[in-house]
Amino acid sequence: MLPRLPHAPEPAPLYREFLNELRLRGFEGDLTPDHAGRTVLATDNSIYQVMPQAAAFPRTTEDLVRIARVMAEPRFAALRIAPRGGGTGTNGQSLTDGLVVDVSRHMTEVLEINAAEGWVRVQAGVVKDQLNAALEPYGLFFPPELSTSNRATIGGMVSTDASGQGSCLYGKTRDHVLELTTVLLDGTVWTSRALEPDELAEAQGRADRVGAVHRAVDRIQREQADLIARQFPPLNRCLTGYDLAHIRDGQGRFHLNSVLCGSEGTLGLLAEAKLNVLPIPRHAALVNLRYDSFDAALRDARTLIGFSPASIETVDSKVLGLARDDIVWEKVRAFFPDDEGAGDEGT
């Protein structure tokens, strides 16, 4: 049980002024400065609790632009925000003692499905299971598979570069991101994708925030390439953080999405995503291997990877014992037959 949150004071004057200014600018979504609404957003899927000052639920990309432009004014320089999707992160990424910007209430449309070319365009608040339900009639789905797929939003998946089950075969979220429409912190809306050298030069020549961003990221990649190569570990699941090691893709194209994916909303407000989707597999199989020790199961993992499975999970005897008392056990018990002659330390 979560401990009781102490009664929080009213939002600070700076945040009340910010909400009032948003209303004056025509903000179409919902604004929540009340105690009940703030308490709901004080927790996520982590162990942490942080009471926000207020919450904004944008209805459109234009609402995100309004938030960014008002924030850019000097009088709101001390204001803090945290973008939020389904709140399924386990590290408290969506928590803040400032303003929560929650896209999961209104920005939930699947905007376009192109089955012939294998892509879909969605708003940031679309939930993964919602998207896959829309894709199923076309025989398509969006990987990777998350345990929180019935509540995780696409915006949250992009922001945390989610991987989950199936990452051995399907990779991470960024491996399926084609374009991102992001509201930068000056209110500029930019759709980022892989850029050829001439396209990069054109973007860098702009006088606005877009130009400054492309110049800065390109300079970091060129001037710090050796340091980046030395310091960034060669991991296939870097998760969150600025992935400076992959600013250019395998074809040498500049790809801003490499630093936007996994940035946890710190570089802009995600509005839309164009995603690569794949055919639903016609067949699936589960292979259950039993080991006499947990260490033996772990030592075999590298060998099993060589068979290119979609995923590998290790379940020890403690977890298996707890699962037997769970309500779902009857649905899965056939996969774990009793065998008195075999150990059950690792499965």
Side-chain angles (χ1 to χ4, degrees):
M1 179 179 294
L2 293 172
R4 175 181 294 182
L5 284 168
H7 184 77
E10 292 299 310
L14 178 67
Y15 289 86
R16 292 201 300 269
E17 183 182 353
F18 183 81
L19 297 184
N20 290 334
E21 187 63 32
L22 282 180
R23 292 189 181 97
L24 291 175
R25 302 285 182 94
F27 188 83
E28 298 176 354
D30 307 323
L31 299 173
T32 303
D34 61 273
H35 185 261
R38 294 159 61 198
T39 300
V40 169
L41 298 174
T43 58
D44 60 3
N45 201 36
S46 71
I47 63 173
Y48 307 109
Q49 293 181 332
V50 182
M51 177 68 80
Q53 296 286 331
F57 300 88
R59 194 174 294 274
T60 61
T61 300
E62 289 70 26
D63 273 349
L64 293 176
V65 171
R66 292 181 179 103
I67 291 173
R69 286 181 175 170
V70 175
M71 277 191 62
E73 297 183 4
R75 57 180 167 146
F76 295 115
L79 189 136
R80 297 181 298 277
I81 68 168
R84 181 181 175 115
T88 61
T90 57
N91 298 312
Q93 301 100 315
S94 61
L95 302 181
T96 180
D97 58 358
L99 176 74
V100 172
V101 180
D102 191 332
V103 298
S104 68
R105 179 178 291 185
H106 298 302
M107 299 184 68
T108 59
E109 293 186 32
V110 178
L111 300 170
E112 187 177 2
I113 297 175
N114 191 319
E117 297 182 10
W119 56 263
V120 63
R121 188 167 61 88
V122 301
Q123 290 184 308
V126 167
V127 172
K128 177 178 158 57
D129 277 1
Q130 171 198 353
L131 173 57
N132 280 340
L135 291 170
E136 186 175 9
Y138 300 91
L140 301 170
F141 81 114
F142 173 63
E145 302 294 346
L146 305 182
S147 61
T148 57
S149 61
N150 65 349
R151 52 202 185 277
T153 63
I154 299 302
M157 291 180 65
V158 170
S159 295
T160 59
D161 195 21
S163 53
Q165 197 174 44
S167 62
C168 296
L169 182 62
Y170 299 117
K172 309 177 296 297
T173 297
R174 74 176 63 193
D175 297 319
H176 303 278
V177 170
L178 301 175
E179 298 179 358
L180 295 177
T181 299
T182 305
V183 178
L184 302 181
L185 299 184
D186 65 344
T188 302
V189 180
W190 178 250
T191 298
S192 52
R193 54 181 175 80
L195 298 180
E196 300 291 349
D198 57 334
E199 296 173 313
L200 174 60
E202 182 179 351
Q204 290 175 324
R206 293 175 54 134
D208 58 5
R209 182 65 64 90
V210 171
V213 166
H214 283 78
R215 290 191 296 271
V217 175
D218 183 46
R219 184 177 64 253
I220 290 171
Q221 193 274 329
R222 288 185 290 102
E223 296 179 357
Q224 305 295 331
D226 291 341
L227 178 62
I228 292 170
R230 290 197 307 271
Q231 296 297 327
F232 275 63
L235 302 176
N236 63 349
R237 292 177 62 176
C238 295
L239 301 179
T240 55
Y242 304 143
D243 189 2
L244 302 178
H246 296 95
I247 292 173
R248 279 180 165 74
D249 63 16
Q251 302 177 46
R253 298 175 300 178
F254 179 93
H255 216 322
L256 190 63
N257 292 343
S258 290
V259 291
L260 290 175
C261 293
S263 64
E264 297 185 343
T266 59
L267 301 178
L269 299 169
L270 180 62
E272 297 178 11
K274 181 179 177 181
L275 307 167
N276 172 65
V277 292
L278 301 176
I280 297 173
R282 293 181 177 273
H283 306 283
L286 173 66
V287 178
N288 185 357
L289 303 178
R290 303 188 73 172
Y291 293 85
D292 60 7
S293 72
F294 190 68
D295 286 345
L298 294 180
R299 283 195 298 270
D300 233 9
R302 189 176 296 276
T303 300
L304 296 176
I305 286 289
F307 293 97
S308 300
S311 65
I312 296 177
E313 296 288 343
T314 304
V315 183
D316 63 18
S317 57
K318 178 67 173 178
V319 172
L320 202 57
L322 292 172
R324 293 176 187 273
D325 297 326
D326 194 277
I327 192 173
V328 302
W329 177 250
E330 291 303 318
K331 296 181 180 179
V332 300
R333 68 180 303 164
F335 298 115
F336 302 96
D338 292 326
D339 184 355
E340 295 182 1
D344 61 355
E345 288 299 317
T347 297

